[in-house]
Amino acid sequence: MGHHGSRTSSTPNFLKAVDFDIAVIPCGVDNRYDHPHQQTLENLASLGIAVYGTDLSGDIIIETDGTNCNVIRARADERKALRKILHES
């Protein structure tokens, strides 16, 4: 995701046009910019895009065979934490 998942980095129209299944958001824990932005997370969730953030997972490794992508390292509780963030807003 562009600019650490900032509010203006990825509009819904852009996300629909690119049509991807996995989003990786590089950002630090409790960063002063509040990245990733809540609106960006909501936009991704509304399109069913799986989100992985380095703030929650640390290192994220994606393996591909040229056709399929597979996240091979990320904390299992990340998706639960993101769902909680979305529901608290």
Side-chain angles (χ1 to χ4, degrees):
M1 295 298 300
H3 197 83
H4 313 288
S6 70
R7 183 176 45 82
T8 59
S9 67
S10 302
T11 65
N13 287 339
F14 172 78
L15 295 174
K16 288 176 189 173
V18 175
D19 190 30
F20 53 92
D21 298 320
I22 297 171
V24 176
I25 302 176
C27 58
V29 175
D30 297 325
N31 63 79
R32 65 182 178 184
Y33 303 103
D34 287 330
H35 291 152
H37 193 274
Q38 183 67 31
Q39 185 62 54
T40 300
L41 294 174
E42 290 173 7
N43 291 343
L44 292 164
S46 73
L47 296 171
I49 298 170
V51 178
Y52 299 92
T54 58
D55 56 336
L56 300 177
S57 294
D59 293 338
I60 298 169
I61 300 168
I62 298 177
E63 182 178 68
T64 182
D65 61 7
T67 303
N68 301 300
C69 289
N70 188 30
V71 177
I72 59 174
R73 183 174 176 205
R75 286 199 305 249
D77 62 345
E78 176 184 329
R79 293 183 94 165
K80 180 179 177 183
L82 285 171
R83 280 194 296 270
K84 182 178 178 186
I85 289 167
L86 289 172
H87 289 115
E88 289 177 348
S89 60

